[in-house]
């Protein structure tokens, strides 16, 4: 019989992680190894997990972490290759020269540019790249960070070429017996289930998130406009542009999620939507009658700016590629098509390797898969299809970019070294957080496991009992909590995906709809994830303002969570109660 003590013990690893990350503001590189050790202790002493099962679960987690890091590394190599070649600067100038109006620049750079970078790289990259770009254009540092973080949220669920779905939902569901069996009993494969989750997540995002360009503009003009005359009127003046931009992004984004795969929505939404809106603006439509500008520099609040003066050379910020992105001098004569071409090639490669069966079957042969069955004598296994996952094709695109841009060996080396440097912190954090989650997930799978099931199952059952029929209203907030702790939609999905699946099963709710809300919650939690805030603030010389950004970003977070919660209730009980 389950007791409150059982539930409290099961929650120890998650509570400890939350306390260290949010309460004490520890970096994930320090907090997650400790949380993993706590999961091992709970598994051994309270869930009677044999040592070989603890080690096997951790090893399976390490393999999943490797798959994520393979994708992230490829994404970063391609991004920094474009930076070194000057292509990224050419893309930015293509946006920035359309209008001097700050509101238009927010839409083009903080929304379209940021969502594209999220779809291509993910893992905190968009705001860390976009914020210094806006700073270089003359934005207050704090405004640049707020706009950049808000602007990319709709794209996060499909960041790094679909990693939060492909790795965050599909892999854990496949590795846990109770989710895998339940999905198969429902007449689907785990892959089909994850595709459906991605489609429902896109539905939430499209219906709620299409107003995010207007939200980003409104936050900037209200909080960083004339301090003596705060007003949303400047935002309403560009509402047609903002709404048109949101729809231009959301339509191809939604269609991609439903009819292609989870890897493309953010990339296709930003590329198609951005092209449409740029064409409209260049034709003279949707441009505001009057240009909006920030107040005079002497009227800015001290906390708006840090160690880097807006508009100055950002190379002062430690020489990081993000900080120097606004000042790259290369690519002056480069066409926009040439600048975008490596990402166009990436989309083509991904489509071909997934849509053409002979090619797909070839790259999924055993020779191209790192697998470990029966890990350490247990029933657990792990596999990494290293050629099939997007990381390999991201690296191929980066290599193809070398002759396209006639890059020198030094430039190529700098791009790869910077990507390697950036991967260190995510490596440590991801390895231990995913190992922790695997221990919690597999704690009910070993011989002699307690009847209450795994730690995750017990926590899900308890949460379902407490919230009851109101559970759908809170599903996205659970996902947001996971992302706020770990700073990653992918890790939130790995941590709470099976949790949400089990809770939906207990309550008889549509599981794809509930897990879809989890995937959206994992995205919106990035609005207040301390790790993302630190990364973005560091690029504009404004470390120490994390709390201020967090308070401002609670406004769009509450809007998003409320909207998704209401939709989840409507979908679950009224419109689609019969969905699996």
């Amino acid at each position: 019989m389950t007791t409150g003590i059982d539930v409290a013990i099961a929650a120890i690893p998650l509570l400890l992680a939350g306390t260290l990350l949010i309460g004490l503001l520890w970096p994930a590189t320090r907090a997650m190894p400790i949380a993993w050790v706590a999961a091992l202790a709970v598994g051994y002493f309270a869930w009677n997990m044999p040592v070989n099962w603890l080690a096997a679960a951790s090893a399976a987690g390490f393999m999943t972490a490797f798959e994520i890091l393979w994708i992230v590394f490829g994404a970063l190599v391609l991004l920094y290759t474009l930076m070194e070649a000057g292509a990224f600067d050419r893309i930015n100038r293509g946006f920035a020269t359309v209008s001097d109006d700050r509101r238009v620049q927010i839409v083009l750079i903080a929304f379209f540019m940021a969502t594209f970078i999220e779809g291509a790289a993910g893992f905190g990259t968009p705001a860390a790249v976009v914020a210094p770009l806006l700073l270089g254009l003359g934005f207050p540092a704090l405004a640049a960070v707020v706009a950049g973080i808000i602007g990319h949220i709709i794209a996060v669920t499909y960041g790094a070429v679909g990693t939060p779905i492909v790795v965050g939902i599909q892999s854990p569901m496949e590795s846990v017996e109770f989710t895998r069996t339940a999905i198969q009993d429902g007449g689907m494969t785990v892959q089909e289930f994850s595709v459906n989750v991605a489609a429902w997540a896109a539905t939430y995002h499209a219906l709620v998130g299409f107003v995010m360009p207007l939200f980003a503009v409104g936050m900037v003009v209200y909080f960083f406009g004339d301090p003596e005359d705060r007003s949303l009127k400047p935002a309403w003046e560009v509402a047609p542009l903002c709404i048109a931009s949101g729809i231009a992004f959301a339509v191809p984004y939604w269609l991609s999620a439903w009819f292609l795969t989870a890897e493309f929505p953010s990339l296709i939404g930003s590329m198609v939507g951005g092209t449409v809106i740029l064409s409209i603006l260049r034709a003279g439509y949707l441009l505001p009658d009057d240009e909006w500008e920030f107040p005079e520099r002497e009227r800015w609040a001290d906390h708006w700016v840090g160690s880097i003066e807006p508009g100055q050379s950002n190379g002062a910020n430690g020489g990081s590629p993000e900080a120097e992105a606004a000042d790259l001098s290369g690519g002056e004569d480069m066409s926009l098509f040439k600048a975008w071409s490596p990402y166009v090639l990436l989309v083509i490669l991904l489509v071909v390797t997934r849509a053409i069966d002979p090619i797909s079957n070839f790259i999924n042969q055993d020779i191209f898969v790192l697998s470990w069955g029966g890990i350490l004598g247990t029933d657990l296994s792990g596999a990494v299809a290293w050629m099939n996952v997007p990381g390999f094709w991201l690296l191929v695109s980066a290599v193809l970019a070398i002759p396209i841009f006639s890059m020198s060996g030094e430039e190529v080396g700098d791009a790869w070294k910077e990507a390697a440097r950036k991967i260190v912190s995510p490596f440590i954090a991801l390895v231990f957080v995913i190992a922790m989650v695997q221990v919690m997930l597999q704690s009910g799978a070993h011989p002699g496991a307690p009847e209450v099931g795994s730690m995750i199952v017990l926590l899900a059952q308890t949460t379902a009992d407490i919230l009851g029929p109101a559970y759908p209203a809170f599903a996205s907030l659970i996902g947001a909590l996971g992302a706020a702790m770990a700073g990653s939609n992918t890790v939130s999905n790995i941590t709470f995906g099976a949790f949400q699946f089990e809770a939906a099963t207990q309550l008889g709710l549509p599981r794809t709809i509930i897990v879809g809300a989890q995937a959206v919650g994992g995205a919106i939690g990035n609005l207040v994830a301390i790790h993302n805030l630190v990364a973005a603030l560091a690029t504009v010389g404004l470390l120490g303002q994390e709390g201020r950004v967090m308070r401002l970003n609670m406004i769009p977070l509450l809007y998003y969570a409320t909207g998704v919660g209401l939709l989840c209730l409507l979908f679950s009980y009224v419109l689609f109660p019969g969905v699996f």
Side-chain angles (χ1 to χ4, degrees):
M1 181 176 178
T2 303
T3 67
I5 295 176
D6 294 328
V7 175
I9 293 173
I12 286 175
L14 296 178
L15 292 175
L16 181 60
T19 300
L20 296 177
L21 290 168
I22 299 175
L24 300 180
L25 300 181
W26 280 26
T29 51
R30 289 176 59 198
M32 297 323 302
I34 294 175
W36 170 65
V37 171
L40 293 176
V42 172
Y44 183 78
F45 290 107
W47 258 258
N48 304 318
M49 290 183 74
V51 172
N52 67 317
W53 275 82
L54 291 169
S58 298
F62 294 161
M63 295 186 73
T64 300
F66 175 79
E67 185 174 0
I68 298 172
L69 292 163
W70 180 234
I71 298 170
V72 176
F73 180 69
L76 292 175
V77 168
L78 181 55
L79 177 66
Y80 289 128
T81 296
L82 265 69
M83 285 183 171
E84 288 291 336
F88 190 83
D89 182 57
R90 178 65 185 93
I91 293 170
N92 180 52
R93 286 188 288 110
F95 284 128
T97 57
V98 173
S99 173
D100 290 330
D101 189 292
R102 301 306 190 180
R103 299 165 298 182
V104 177
Q105 291 172 348
I106 290 171
V107 171
L108 295 179
I109 299 175
F111 181 65
F112 282 116
M113 173 71 85
T115 51
F116 173 77
I117 297 172
E118 177 61 32
F123 291 90
T125 307
V129 172
V130 165
L133 290 175
L134 294 174
L135 180 72
L137 290 173
F139 277 62
L142 190 62
V145 170
V146 169
I149 292 177
I150 293 174
H152 84 289
I153 288 301
I154 189 174
V156 173
T157 298
Y158 312 94
V161 201
T163 300
I165 298 294
V166 177
V167 179
I169 297 294
Q170 183 176 327
S171 295
M173 294 291 178
E174 186 71 56
S175 70
V176 180
E177 184 177 356
F178 78 83
T179 54
R180 183 176 64 252
T181 302
I183 291 169
Q184 292 170 347
D185 289 345
M188 283 189 284
T189 65
V190 176
Q191 182 180 12
E192 290 170 339
F193 174 81
S194 67
V195 169
N196 284 332
V197 167
W200 282 108
T203 303
Y204 289 122
H205 273 305
L207 293 173
V208 177
F210 78 96
V211 299
M212 293 318 283
L214 182 60
F215 233 112
V217 170
M219 292 288 290
V220 171
V221 302
Y222 185 81
F223 289 105
F224 301 94
D226 188 342
E228 297 178 3
D229 184 27
R230 281 188 171 180
S231 171
L232 286 173
K233 182 181 177 181
W236 298 126
E237 291 172 354
V238 293
L241 169 63
C242 294
I243 298 301
S245 298
I247 294 173
F249 174 92
V251 171
Y253 167 89
W254 184 84
L255 291 172
S256 299
W258 277 95
F259 300 108
L260 290 177
T261 76
E263 292 157 327
F264 299 133
S266 296
L267 282 173
I268 290 179
S270 57
M271 293 172 76
V272 174
T275 299
V276 168
I277 295 301
L278 271 174
S279 299
I280 291 173
L281 290 172
R282 291 188 187 282
Y285 300 104
L286 295 180
L287 285 168
D289 295 329
D290 300 309
E291 289 186 354
W292 184 85
E293 181 57 272
F294 294 104
E296 297 82 0
R297 176 65 181 84
E298 58 270 15
R299 300 178 63 201
W300 292 8
D302 291 341
H303 62 265
W304 288 10
V305 181
S307 60
I308 304 174
E309 188 64 24
Q312 79 173 41
S313 170
N314 292 337
N317 191 29
S320 69
E322 296 98 329
E324 294 170 3
D327 294 308
L328 288 171
S329 58
E332 291 296 330
D333 300 322
M334 188 184 299
S335 69
L336 271 175
F337 178 78
K338 182 177 180 180
W340 283 104
S341 59
Y343 283 111
V344 175
L345 285 171
L346 171 65
V347 172
I348 293 172
L349 287 170
L350 289 173
V351 170
V352 167
T353 55
R354 280 143 180 77
I356 300 177
D357 288 339
I359 296 177
S360 178
N361 294 335
F362 175 77
I363 65 176
N364 279 289
Q365 293 181 96
D366 291 344
I367 191 174
F368 300 124
V369 178
L370 300 175
S371 61
W372 189 1
I375 302 175
L376 300 178
T378 69
D379 297 335
L380 304 182
S381 62
V384 179
W386 60 268
M387 183 176 279
N388 184 53
V389 297
F392 178 79
W393 301 107
L394 284 157
L395 288 173
V396 169
S397 300
V399 171
L400 293 174
I402 297 171
I404 290 174
F405 300 126
S406 300
M407 297 178 67
S408 67
E410 183 180 0
E411 289 172 330
V412 174
D414 287 344
W416 284 70
K417 284 187 288 187
E418 186 61 30
R421 188 176 70 84
K422 290 292 184 183
I423 205 72
V424 174
S425 291
F427 173 81
I428 297 171
L430 282 170
V431 162
F432 286 103
V433 72
I434 298 173
M436 176 198 78
V437 171
Q438 279 296 318
V439 170
M440 296 181 71
L441 285 171
Q442 304 297 349
S443 57
H446 62 281
E451 293 183 3
V452 296
S454 70
M455 301 178 214
I456 291 293
V457 168
L458 177 57
L459 292 173
Q461 291 173 339
T462 304
T463 304
D465 290 341
I466 293 172
L467 295 177
Y471 187 91
F474 296 92
S476 65
L477 281 173
I478 293 171
L481 174 63
M485 288 195 306
S488 167
N489 194 166
T490 301
V491 175
S492 177
N493 288 349
I494 290 171
T495 306
F496 291 112
F499 175 105
Q500 302 259 25
F501 184 97
E502 175 64 20
T505 302
Q506 292 294 318
L507 293 167
L509 296 169
R511 283 161 278 197
T512 49
I513 290 176
I514 296 298
V515 180
Q518 153 64 39
V520 175
I524 63 179
N526 281 267
L527 285 162
V528 294
I530 188 68
H531 310 85
N532 291 343
L533 303 188
V534 169
L537 288 166
T539 66
V540 296
L542 203 59
L543 281 173
Q545 295 294 336
E546 293 83 6
R548 196 180 298 274
V549 177
M550 194 176 293
R551 287 194 295 273
L552 289 174
N553 284 356
M554 284 298 297
I555 299 172
L557 187 150
L558 291 174
Y559 157 76
Y560 226 118
T562 300
V564 173
L566 292 174
L567 285 175
C568 194
L569 286 167
L570 183 65
F571 291 166
S572 298
Y573 293 119
V574 181
L575 298 180
F576 308 105
V579 170
F580 176 79

